[in-house]
Amino acid sequence: TMNGIESLDRTGSVLYRDLKGATSFENSFWDEDAAAHSFEQSAVFVNLMEISSKDLEDHYRNNPTQFSDGDYELMFKFNGPRRRGDFRRFNLLKSKMKTEKRMG
């Protein structure tokens, strides 16, 4: 549901703040760039759970290596506020992209 997605988004923000606070003691190391990248990827993942199947397909076409195939499969299986899950759509899209790549 949309409430669940919004909750995940808030949870990511709270987790970031808590982790940064927990690692801010003397002689600790917080890699700001790595943390920002990780949480940005998490936000993208949550956002992809919200969008339509067509938009998810477009994202995958343009960013097939941003997440693992297992992650993308999970996204395509997910029943969200704007789509019904259909993992077969992911498999068809992958096959179509492989064929297009071979054809040149």
Side-chain angles (χ1 to χ4, degrees):
T1 67
M2 199 60 178
N3 289 338
I5 290 170
E6 289 171 358
S7 178
L8 280 172
D9 192 37
R10 285 191 308 274
T11 300
S13 297
V14 170
L15 180 60
Y16 179 84
R17 185 188 69 229
D18 288 351
L19 284 173
K20 187 170 182 179
T23 58
S24 296
F25 52 89
E26 190 175 330
N27 296 324
S28 67
F29 178 73
W30 175 262
D31 185 335
E32 193 72 36
D33 291 336
H37 176 73
S38 294
F39 282 93
E40 182 179 321
Q41 288 295 94
S42 175
V44 169
F45 189 94
V46 170
N47 182 57
L48 291 172
M49 302 291 270
E50 298 177 20
I51 63 177
S52 70
S53 294
K54 173 69 172 111
D55 289 340
L56 181 57
E57 285 184 23
D58 291 343
H59 180 87
Y60 179 75
R61 278 191 171 279
N62 295 318
N63 307 283
T65 60
Q66 184 173 14
F67 296 100
S68 71
D69 279 355
D71 287 341
Y72 276 116
E73 188 172 319
L74 177 66
M75 290 177 210
F76 277 87
K77 285 180 178 178
F78 179 74
N79 289 323
R82 295 180 180 90
R83 71 166 184 266
R84 298 278 304 150
D86 184 359
F87 75 95
R88 293 172 298 171
R89 196 170 184 157
F90 174 61
N91 291 330
L92 290 171
L93 178 60
K94 276 179 52 174
S95 294
K96 186 176 181 180
M97 288 174 61
K98 283 181 185 178
T99 301
E100 289 169 355
K101 189 175 181 178
R102 279 186 289 207
M103 299 299 233

